């Protein structure tokens, strides 16, 4: 017989009111509360908490308090991850975030789902679907990333987007529901290289 935690991480129906899950949940809440009460003068303490909170975290991980998560232990973040104020990661299922990822304020990753059928939903059944974000991704403010979504590498997600489907590599995507606006191209690279050169000239 599988545990509720095993069912949860497999993406199957599970019931959250379970002693093992409650233990993980309460540990995360304690660490989050501790983190959100640190100051900018406690970088080492913040890094210690992040290491204890996430399943795995790379170098240069920076979260602006307040930050919120359900479990933390189901989240993997790569190197140079920055999350601005009020980031929410509901990691009922696994969340994987690559290297060099930037989140604007109030970005939410939501792996949790509830049955559409009200009778089943009212029996406290839930499920989760994993979220994966590639490398070199910038997610604008107030973006909601829904269960089961995969975002590719070198992607920009515009502010306020509701991401309900997978987003391919090398695109700018915007809107509700989020859709590809255009490919990121050589003209973008030339423009920003010129802007960088102008910076150093001034």
């Amino acid at each position: 017989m599988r545990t509720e935690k095993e069912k949860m991480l497999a993406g199957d129906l599970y019931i959250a009111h379970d002693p093992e899950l409650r233990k993980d949940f309460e540990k995360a809440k304690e660490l989050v509360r501790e983190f959100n009460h640190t100051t900018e003068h406690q970088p080492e303490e913040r890094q210690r908490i992040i290491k204890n909170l996430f399943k795995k975290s790379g170098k240069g991980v920076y979260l602006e308090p307040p930050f919120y998560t359900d479990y933390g232990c189901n989240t993997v973040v790569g190197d140079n991850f920055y999350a601005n104020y009020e980031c929410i990661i509901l990691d009922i299922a696994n969340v994987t975030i690559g290297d060099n990822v930037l989140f604007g304020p109030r970005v939410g990753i939501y792996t949790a789902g509830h049955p559409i059928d009200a009778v089943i939903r009212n029996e406290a059944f839930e499920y989760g679907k994993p979220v994966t974000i590639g490398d070199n991704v910038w997610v604008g403010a107030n973006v909601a990333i829904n269960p089961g979504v995969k975002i590719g590498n070198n992607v920009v997600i515009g502010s306020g987007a509701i991401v309900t489907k997978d987003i391919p590599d090398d695109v700018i995507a915007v809107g509700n529901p989020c859709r590809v606006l255009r490919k990121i191209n050589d003209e973008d690279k030339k423009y920003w290289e010129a802007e960088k050169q102008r910076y150093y000239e001034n």
Side-chain angles (χ1 to χ4, degrees):
M1 181 72 73
R2 293 185 302 162
T3 66
E4 296 301 311
K5 184 174 182 177
E6 288 171 335
K7 294 173 188 175
M8 180 183 82
L9 292 174
D12 298 328
L13 287 179
Y14 77 100
I15 294 178
H17 305 299
D18 170 77
E20 183 182 17
L21 291 175
R22 176 54 55 180
K23 184 178 179 181
D24 290 346
F25 184 83
E26 289 176 354
K27 178 185 176 183
K29 287 295 172 282
E30 290 173 5
L31 289 169
V32 166
R33 182 169 57 253
E34 191 178 350
F35 180 85
N36 288 336
H37 282 86
T38 61
T39 74
E40 61 275 14
H41 303 296
Q42 297 174 286
E44 296 86 1
E45 180 66 4
R46 287 183 174 179
Q47 289 305 308
R48 181 193 68 80
I49 296 168
I50 288 169
K51 289 293 183 185
N52 287 330
L53 179 62
F54 290 145
K55 182 176 182 179
K56 183 179 179 183
S57 59
K59 299 175 182 177
V61 173
Y62 192 92
L63 313 174
E64 291 281 6
F67 170 80
Y68 307 99
T69 190
D70 269 349
Y71 293 102
C73 60
N74 301 322
T75 296
V76 172
V77 298
D79 295 339
N80 305 317
F81 172 59
Y82 174 80
N84 214 319
Y85 307 110
E86 297 183 352
C87 177
I88 298 173
I89 300 178
L90 301 190
D91 57 344
I92 304 305
N94 290 320
V95 172
T96 305
I97 299 171
D99 296 335
N100 306 309
V101 175
L102 303 175
F103 283 1
R106 294 175 296 280
V107 168
I109 297 176
Y110 306 107
T111 67
H114 301 271
I116 291 175
D117 181 82
V119 173
I120 305 300
R121 185 171 64 245
N122 292 341
E123 293 176 13
F125 284 108
E126 303 178 20
Y127 66 92
K129 300 296 179 186
V131 167
T132 301
I133 298 173
D135 298 333
N136 308 311
V137 174
W138 172 23
V139 181
N142 296 300
V143 170
I145 301 171
N146 283 2
V149 163
K150 294 181 181 179
I151 296 174
N153 300 314
N154 309 310
V155 170
V156 175
I157 306 291
S159 296
I162 310 297
V163 189
T164 60
K165 295 182 179 178
D166 293 355
I167 304 296
D169 294 347
D170 304 307
V171 298
I172 298 170
V174 299
N176 179 11
C178 190
R179 66 197 184 283
V180 173
L181 179 64
R182 67 173 177 86
K183 293 280 288 184
I184 296 172
N185 54 46
D186 287 341
E187 291 303 313
D188 295 307
K189 182 176 179 59
K190 290 176 184 176
Y191 174 83
W192 290 106
E193 286 288 347
E195 288 294 297
K196 183 177 77 171
Q197 182 66 31
R198 193 161 66 91
Y199 168 84
Y200 285 114
E201 288 171 354
N202 293 329

